[in-house]
Amino acid sequence: MKISKTTKRILVAIVLVGLVFGSWAVWYVFYKPHRNVGSEEATYTLSAQDLSKAFATDTTAMAKYIDKAVLINGAITNIEGDHISLDNIICNMDSTETAKLGSLKVGENVKIQGRLTTYNDLMEEIMMDQCVLK
């Protein structure tokens, strides 16, 4: 079975186009800039109690708040490493904020913006990451 010159050229062209497109796709996935939640405008602004109440009473709260930039305010109930708790909301602070954590005290009112990642319905904990103090 012989392949004509035209068919060979078409196959080579398809392979080259595939390699170029595949290389671009790999570059795009691995080198695109990371999302900076702290500099985004908050999609939702509410108190820690209101956010907790929304998850306790509304079954669609997860779909509403997941992966959104949320600005919450409330009193600090616990500071442990780079995690700050506001009642049942646990905020994993961004690495750029670690220097500010030493000046915070339990009971102090703060505004924190971060990305809501998950809700643990067994422990009734709301988890946020990439958090920054506002």
Side-chain angles (χ1 to χ4, degrees), residues 62-74:
M62 188 65 176
K64 180 178 179 182
Y65 294 109
I66 190 75
D67 203 34
K68 301 282 192 299
V70 179
L71 178 63
I72 59 171
N73 57 6

Side-chain angles (χ1 to χ4, degrees), residues 3 8 10 23 29 38 50 52 59 86 95 102 107 115-116 123 132:
I3 300 175
K8 284 182 185 178
I10 291 172
S23 299
V29 168
D50 290 342
S52 296
T59 58
L86 307 175
S95 60
R115 179 178 68 110
L116 197 138
M123 300 293 287
V132 295

Side-chain angles (χ1 to χ4, degrees), residues 42-71:
T43 308
Y44 298 101
T45 302
L46 56 161
S47 71
Q49 291 89 4
D50 290 342
L51 185 61
S52 296
K53 202 178 297 179
F55 275 90
T57 60
D58 187 6
T59 58
T60 63
M62 188 65 176
K64 180 178 179 182
Y65 294 109
I66 190 75
D67 203 34
K68 301 282 192 299
V70 179
L71 178 63

Side-chain angles (χ1 to χ4, degrees), residues 112-126:
I112 298 177
Q113 181 169 324
R115 179 178 68 110
L116 197 138
T117 56
T118 189
Y119 174 66
N120 181 338
D121 57 352
L122 181 63
M123 300 293 287
E124 295 182 352
E125 291 178 335
I126 300 168

